[in-house]
C-alpha cells in the first residue's frame, strides 16, 4: 500500500486534536542562554509536542501552551538548569478524552 | 488533629485504589487530582487487565466503562516491508471474569475514582500538590496550589505517576537516569464499528490487541494497535535517550508504522480523534525507589511499578494492586497510631505476598532483554527472512532446508550461534 492513499496529517492538525486549557503562567521555561552551549539538543527531537525550536543565534525558542506535561524534555536535557519544569495550575493544561 | 487520616495524591488507578481501600477501612481520606477530572491527564496504550479488581469491586465488569474485551492477541515482528505475526484467539476471554479490555483512561480512571468517593473518600480535582509538608524527616501533609492550600495527614500516599516529584522530594529516589524511561505516543483513530469488526475479524464487544517489535527503526521500543468500540489506538513506545539522539521525531516514526503494509489497510480512512503522549517507567524492578518513609508511601508508576517489556505492557493492574496495598497498610498504621516508616512496613509485606513484587522481581531482566539489539533488530529481521525464504517458491531451484535457511539468516544478520544460545538461555531464565 502506498502512503498516498493514506496521507499523513500535518503536525498542526495532529495537535489541534488535543484539548489544552492554557493557564497564563508558563509551567515550563527554558533558559535559552544555557541552551547556546548545548551540543545534543535532544529536546528538539524528542518533545512529542514539538515545542522546542532552534533560533538563529543557537538558542531555543520555547512555548509552553500545547504541552503534554510528559516530562521527556527535562529527562533528556543535557544542561543543568536549562529547563525549569513544573505542572500547570490545577485544572489547567492538557485534557484527554479518548486516550 | 490532622485534616485527614490519609491524603492520596493523584487520582489515577493507583490513587483511586488506595483511596478506596483506606476509606473502606474507615479512615478519612482526601484524593487529590491536578486534572479537572480523574483520568484527564492520563493516556496509555489501551488494555486494562481487570482481574486485580475481582477482590475490590465484585462484578466490576458489569459496570466498568470498557470499549471491547480482548479475545484476540497478536505479536507482530516486522521489518520495513515484511511482517510475521503470531495470532492467538480465545473466546473465553470474552466472558466473565474476562482477561483484558480496551478502555479510555479518562473514563476508566473517573469510574474507579467514583468508587473511592462512594466509599467515603473526598475527591478534590483541579488541585496540584506542589510539595510536601514536613516535620523534620516526617511527612505530615502536602502543599497545594489552592489559596491556603496546605493539607495535613498522618500518611501521604504518592500516586502521582511517573514523574513523582513528591517521592523525589521525599528523597526516596536516586537521581533519575533517562535510560530507564520511554516515551509513549499514540493516535486514537475513528472508524465505524462495522469496519473495525470486518478488518479485525471480531464481532460484538470483542476486540484485538497487537504488540509490534521491529517498527521503531534504530530507537529501541515497540508499537501497539488496539481496537476500541469505534476507534483504534495506534502508538509507539520509544527509549528516551535513543530517541533524543536519533534525529527523527516520534510522529515521523509513528507515520512509518502507519504506512507499513501490515498496518495501513487496518487504519485506512480513519480520522485522528486525539493525539497523546506520556512517559513510561520502563526499567521496572531495578529502578524502584524506596517505597516507604516516615508518614509516606509510594505506589503505581510513582514507584515504577509498570511492566513494560515488549510483549507486555501492563501498569494499570500493578497500579491498582500496589495502590490497594498502600491504602490498606496506611489505614492499619493510622489505626495502630504508628505511621512511622516502621509502622508502615505492612505495605512492603503486602506487595511481597501478591503479584506486584513477585512479577516484577521475576521479570527484572525482561526490559533489558526486550530492549537489546537481538530483540529489537536481529530477531524481527531473522524471523521475517526465514519466513520469506521458507515460502518463496524458487523453482526450478530445489527448496533449501530449514536449518540452512536459519543459519543463513543468522549469518546475514550477524548473529552468532553462541550469542543466540546465551541470549536464549537468559530469556528462558527471565521468562521461564
Ligand atoms: C504509551 C503507554 C502505553 C501503556 N499501555 C498500557 C496498557 O496497555 N495496559 C496497562 O495496564 N498499562 C499501560 N501503560 C502503563 C499505565 O498507563 C501506567 O502504569 C498507569 O497509568 C499507572 O497508574 P498510576 O495511577 O500509578 O499513575 P497515573 O495513571 O499516571 O496517575 C497519576 C495521577 O496523578 C496525578 N498527579 C500527578 N502529580 C500530581 C500532583 N502533584 N498533584 C495532584 N495530582 C497529581 C495525575 O494527573 C494522574 O491523574 C501504558 C503507558 C503508556 C505511557
Ligand atoms: S537539551 Fe536542554 S540544554 Fe540542550 S537545547 Fe534542549 S533544553 Fe537546551
Ligand atoms: S513536558 Fe513533554 S510535551 Fe511538554 S515540553 Fe516537555 S517534552 Fe514537550
Amino acid at each position: 500500500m502506498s502512503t498516498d492513499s493514506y496521507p499523513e496529517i500535518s503536525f498542526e492538525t495532529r495537535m489541534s486534536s488535543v484539548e489544552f486549557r492554557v493557564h497564563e503562567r508558563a509551567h515550563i521555561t527554558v533558559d535559552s542562554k544555557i541552551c547556546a552551549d548545548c551540543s545534543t539538543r535532544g529536546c528538539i527531537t524528542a518533545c512529542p509536542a514539538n515545542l522546542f525550536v532552534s533560533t538563529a543565534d543557537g538558542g531555543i525558542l520555547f512555548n509552553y501552551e500545547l504541552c503534554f506535561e510528559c516530562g521527556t524534555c527535562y529527562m533528556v536535557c543535557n544542561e543543568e538548569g536549562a529547563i525549569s519544569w513544573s505542572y500547570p495550575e490545577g485544572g489547567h493544561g492538557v485534557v484527554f478524552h479518548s486516550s | 488533629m490532622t485534616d485527614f487520616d490519609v491524603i492520596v495524591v493523584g487520582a489515577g488507578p493507583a490513587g483511586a485504589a488506595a483511596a478506596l481501600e483506606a476509606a473502606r477501612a474507615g479512615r478519612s481520606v482526601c484524593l487529590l487530582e491536578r486534572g479537572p477530572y480523574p483520568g484527564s491527564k492520563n493516556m496509555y496504550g489501551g488494555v486494562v487487565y481487570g482481574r486485580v479488581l475481582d477482590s475490590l469491586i465484585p462484578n466490576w465488569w458489569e459496570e466498568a466503562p470498557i470499549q471491547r474485551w480482548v479475545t484476540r492477541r497478536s505479536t507482530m515482528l516486522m521489518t520495513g516491508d515484511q511482517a510475521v505475526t503470531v495470532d492467538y484467539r480465545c473466546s473465553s476471554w470474552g466472558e466473565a471474569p474476562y482477561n483484558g479490555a480496551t478502555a479510555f483512561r479518562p473514563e476508566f480512571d473517573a469510574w474507579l475514582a467514583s468508587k473511592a468517593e462512594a466509599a467515603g473518600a473526598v475527591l478534590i480535582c483541579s488541585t496540584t500538590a506542589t510539595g510536601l509538608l514536613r516535620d523534620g524527616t516526617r511527612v505530615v501533609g502536602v502543599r497545594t496550589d489552592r489559596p491556603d492550600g496546605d493539607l495535613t495527614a498522618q500518611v501521604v500516599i504518592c500516586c502521582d505517576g511517573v514523574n513523582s516529584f513528591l517521592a523525589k522530594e521525599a528523597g526516596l529516589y536516586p537521581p533519575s537516569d533517562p535510560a530507564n524511561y520511554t516515551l509513549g505516543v499514540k493516535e486514537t483513530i475513528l472508524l465505524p464499528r462495522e469496519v473495525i469488526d470486518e478488518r479485525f475479524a471480531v464481532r460484538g464487544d470483542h476486540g484485538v490487541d497487537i504488540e509490534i517489535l521491529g517498527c521503531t527503526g534504530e530507537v529501541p521500543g515497540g508499537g501497539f494497535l488496539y481496537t476500541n468500540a469505534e476507534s483504534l489506538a495506534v502508538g509507539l513506545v520509544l527509549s528516551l535517550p535513543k530517541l533524543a539522539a536519533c534525529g527523527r521525531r516520534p510522529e515521523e516514526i509513528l507515520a512509518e508504522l502507519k504506512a507499513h503494509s501490515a498496518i495501513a489497510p487496518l487504519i485506512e480512512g480513519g480520522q485522528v480523534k486525539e493525539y497523546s503522549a506520556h512517559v513510561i517507567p520502563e526499567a521496572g524492578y531495578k529502578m524502584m525507589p524506596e517505597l516507604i518513609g516516615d508518614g509516606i508511601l509510594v505506589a503505581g508508576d510513582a514507584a515504577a511499578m509498570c511492566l513494560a517489556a515488549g510483549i507486555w505492557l501492563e501498569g494499570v493492574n500493578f497500579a491498582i494492586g500496589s495502590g490497594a496495598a498502600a491504602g490498606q497498610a496506611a489505614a492499619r498504621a493510622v489505626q495502630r497510631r504508628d505511621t512511622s516508616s516502621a509502622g508502615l512496613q505492612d505495605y512492603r509485606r503486602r506487595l511481597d505476598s501478591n503479584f506486584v513484587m513477585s512479577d516484577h522481581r521475576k521479570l527484572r531482566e525482561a526490559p533489558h532483554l526486550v530492549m537489546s539489539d537481538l530483540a529489537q533488530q536481529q530477531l524481527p529481521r531473522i524471523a521475517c527472512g526465514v519466513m520469506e525464504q521458507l515460502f518463496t517458491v524458487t523453482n526450478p531451484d530445489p527448496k533449501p532446508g530449514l536449518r540452512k535457511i536459519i543459519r543463513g539468516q543468522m549469518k546475514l544478520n550477524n548473529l552468532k550461534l553462541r550469542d543466540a544460545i546465551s541470549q536464549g538461555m537468559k530469556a528462558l531464565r527471565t521468562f521461564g
Side-chain angles (χ1 to χ4, degrees), chain A residues 28 46-49 51-52 62 66-74 85:
Chain A
I28 300 173
C47 167
L51 297 177
F52 293 77
F62 176 82
L66 311 184
C67 164
F68 289 117
E69 301 148 34
C70 67
T72 298
C73 52
Y74 81 79
W85 207 101

Side-chain angles (χ1 to χ4, degrees), chain B residues 23-312:
Chain B
R24 272 187 182 159
R27 308 314 351 155
S28 67
V29 180
C30 168
L31 178 58
L32 269 188
E33 169 57 46
R34 65 189 189 86
Y37 53 87
S40 56
K41 299 285 181 186
N42 305 340
M43 66 77 78
Y44 75 146
V47 179
V48 172
Y49 298 93
R51 294 302 304 271
V52 62
L53 287 171
D54 291 357
S55 61
L56 297 178
I57 303 167
N59 295 355
W60 55 270
W61 52 80
E62 289 169 4
E63 49 170 311
I66 72 109
Q67 294 283 321
R68 287 179 190 251
W69 300 106
V70 173
T71 55
R72 184 176 168 202
R73 187 164 174 160
S74 307
T75 301
M76 195 182 273
L77 300 177
M78 65 166 58
T79 70
D81 61 347
Q82 301 162 298
V84 174
T85 308
V86 178
D87 186 26
Y88 176 70
R89 275 181 189 264
C90 176
S91 40
S92 72
W93 283 356
E95 294 156 18
Y98 302 98
N99 181 43
T102 53
F104 292 146
R105 293 291 299 282
E107 293 176 4
F108 183 83
D109 292 10
W111 168 75
L112 199 55
S114 77
K115 294 284 148 191
E117 272 190 289
V122 179
L123 171 67
I124 306 179
C125 291
S126 296
T127 305
T128 305
T130 52
L132 295 169
L133 294 174
R134 291 210 250 193
D135 181 3
T137 58
R138 209 192 140 71
V139 172
V140 296
V142 294
R143 290 188 190 289
T144 75
D145 61 355
R146 296 268 181 136
D148 300 318
D150 289 3
L151 290 172
T152 56
Q154 301 185 53
V155 184
V156 172
I157 309 180
C158 303
C159 301
D160 49 342
V162 59
N163 286 300
S164 191
F165 295 111
L166 296 184
K168 287 174 188 161
E169 186 184 334
L172 300 174
Y173 262 102
S176 63
D177 176 358
N180 288 339
Y181 297 88
T182 51
L183 171 67
V185 291
K186 146 176 156 177
E187 287 178 10
T188 305
I189 298 178
L190 288 181
L191 276 176
R193 178 185 281 275
E194 317 75 68
V195 174
I196 295 175
D197 290 352
E198 284 308 310
R199 287 186 189 175
F200 291 85
V202 284
R203 294 292 177 266
D205 58 1
H206 289 194
V208 180
D209 162 338
I210 308 177
E211 258 81 42
I212 309 163
L213 274 181
C215 59
T216 50
E218 66 278 40
V219 184
F224 55 82
L225 172 56
Y226 303 121
T227 57
N228 297 313
E230 296 180 344
S231 64
L232 305 175
V234 188
L236 293 175
V237 169
L238 301 160
S239 152
L240 272 194
K242 295 285 171 54
L243 171 67
C246 85
R248 284 202 304 154
R249 295 198 29 82
E251 71 278 3
E252 288 172 33
I253 307 176
L254 183 57
E256 257 174 43
L257 173 63
K258 285 169 61 188
H260 192 283
S261 57
I263 303 296
L266 300 176
I267 58 176
E268 192 179 25
Q271 293 291 318
V272 175
K273 171 87 188 312
E274 189 163 78
Y275 186 52
S276 54
H278 201 93
V279 166
I280 306 171
E282 181 83 22
Y285 191 72
K286 294 193 166 177
M287 67 182 287
M288 282 184 194
E290 297 283 336
L291 303 175
I292 304 169
D294 286 328
I296 186 169
L297 297 175
V298 192
D301 270 16
M305 287 167 182
C306 185
L307 184 64
I311 51 171
W312 285 294

